[in-house]
């Protein structure tokens, strides 16, 4: 089997994830500011747990080659990707300390702990399959948005986010990772018990990604209700 078999087996969930209203509003520049702020803070917390998961991959590896394969991801996350995220958030007036103090939202906890649990209970393949929807999905989303005629680039406050995930560096990094994942999956049949187990892991992780987007939109809905309730209280005063 290949990573594409994992996607094909949960296509409805995959489409909901990669074409979520949060994503489409981001591409059109209509996503409310506070929704994006919530996402940025939760994504910082997610990346910390993501780094732990790649560190777990070193522990789960059975060969030096697999250990070496995971190490650059840990280093890249700790030294580059998280640092880039902090720098990016600085443009939105969010400091690293702000994000460190932010409590993890329910979907963030559920998703990150699911990935870590999949790795702890299973082997390195289980772990990489649980990790796969994040990187592969963001690459697909980046391609989707940069090629979508409905995407707005002029004066879109989220243009740099689109550029990051549609950019050559990110796309090439994911392409390399998928080759490695395909090598891990090569001897597993889609229809075998093992193959179906991995499909279920991938499906649940994809559903967790959907919940991660949705929690950002839910913040927007909560703010709207609060404003409406406050307005109603004023009107009734």
């Amino acid at each position: 089997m290949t990573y594409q078999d994992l996607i094909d087996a949960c296509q409805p969930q995959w489409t909901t994830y990669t074409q979520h209203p949060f994503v489409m509003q981001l591409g059109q520049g209509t996503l409310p500011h506070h929704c994006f702020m919530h996402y940025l803070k939760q994504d910082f917390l997610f990346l910390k747990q993501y780094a732990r998961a790649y560190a777990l991959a070193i522990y789960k590896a059975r060969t030096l080659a697999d250990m070496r394969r995971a190490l650059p991801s840990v280093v890249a996350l700790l030294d580059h990707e998280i640092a880039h995220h902090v720098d990016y958030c600085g443009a939105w007036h969010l400091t690293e300390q702000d994000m460190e103090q932010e409590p993890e939202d329910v979907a963030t906890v559920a998703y990150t702990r699911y990935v870590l649990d999949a790795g702890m209970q299973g082997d390195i393949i289980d772990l990489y399959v649980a990790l796969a929807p994040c990187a592969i999905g963001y690459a697909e989303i980046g391609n989707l948005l940069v090629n979508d005629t409905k995407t707005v680039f002029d004066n879109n406050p989220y243009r740099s986010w689109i550029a990051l995930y549609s950019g050559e560096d990110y796309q090439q990094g994911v392409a390399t990772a998928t080759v490695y994942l395909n090598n891990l999956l090569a001897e597993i049949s889609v229809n075998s018990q093992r193959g179906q187990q991995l499909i279920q892991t991938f499906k649940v992780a994809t559903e967790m990604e959907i919940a991660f987007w949705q929690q950002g939109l839910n913040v927007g809905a909560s703010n709207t209700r609060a404003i409406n309730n406050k307005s109603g209280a004023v009107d009734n005063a």
Side-chain angles (χ1 to χ4, degrees):
M1 66 188 300
T2 69
Y3 81 88
Q4 189 60 50
D5 291 317
L6 298 172
I7 294 173
D8 292 344
C10 64
Q11 194 60 57
Q13 292 84 359
W14 189 257
T15 300
T16 301
Y17 160 40
T18 56
Q19 299 179 33
H20 194 277
F22 185 102
V23 173
M24 306 316 291
Q25 290 178 34
L26 188 151
Q28 293 162 22
T30 59
L31 183 70
H33 173 81
H34 52 270
C35 293
F36 192 65
M37 290 298 96
H38 183 79
Y39 160 75
L40 286 179
K41 289 182 279 189
Q42 292 301 310
D43 198 40
F44 171 82
L45 299 173
F46 173 87
L47 287 173
K48 288 174 62 179
Q49 302 299 331
Y50 205 56
R52 291 180 64 206
Y54 273 102
L56 178 61
I58 297 175
Y59 175 78
K60 285 287 181 173
R62 292 293 178 263
T63 67
L64 279 174
D66 284 338
M67 294 175 77
R68 292 181 180 124
R69 175 65 183 78
L71 181 58
S73 297
V74 177
V75 174
L77 280 162
L78 294 177
D79 288 349
H80 302 293
E81 189 166 353
I82 290 178
H84 179 276
H85 190 85
V86 171
D87 289 343
Y88 181 82
C89 290
W92 293 84
H93 308 293
L94 288 173
T95 68
E96 182 174 336
Q97 184 178 15
D98 291 334
M99 292 183 287
E100 285 275 21
Q101 293 176 348
E102 184 75 9
E104 288 181 295
D105 210 335
V106 173
T108 308
V109 174
Y111 187 11
T112 57
R113 294 346 180 251
Y114 176 76
V115 171
L116 288 167
D117 188 58
M120 289 296 294
Q121 291 193 44
D123 59 18
I124 195 170
I125 302 177
D126 294 282
L127 177 59
Y128 276 119
V129 166
L131 286 165
C134 180
I136 296 173
Y138 271 53
E140 183 167 322
I141 288 166
N143 271 329
L144 183 154
L145 291 180
V146 81
N147 292 301
D148 190 348
T149 57
K150 294 181 181 179
T151 297
V152 175
F153 293 100
D154 293 339
N155 299 317
N156 186 337
Y158 313 120
R159 181 174 180 172
S160 61
W161 190 96
I162 299 170
L164 172 64
Y165 293 107
S166 64
E168 183 178 352
D169 286 349
Y170 186 82
Q171 293 289 325
Q172 186 56 51
V174 172
T176 300
T178 57
V179 170
Y180 177 66
L181 180 58
N182 280 346
N183 288 337
L184 292 176
L185 296 171
E187 296 182 5
I188 301 172
S189 170
V190 174
N191 296 319
S192 67
Q193 183 178 358
R194 177 66 166 140
Q196 291 299 304
Q197 175 194 8
L198 292 172
I199 285 171
Q200 181 63 21
T201 297
F202 187 87
K203 178 181 176 181
V204 173
T206 300
E207 291 171 339
M208 295 292 184
E209 284 284 3
I210 295 170
F212 198 82
W213 290 138
Q214 190 60 45
Q215 74 179 358
L217 288 186
N218 289 347
V219 169
S222 296
N223 281 11
T224 299
R225 286 194 297 270
I227 291 171
N228 290 338
N229 289 339
K230 183 176 180 180
S231 175
V234 171
D235 292 340
N236 292 329

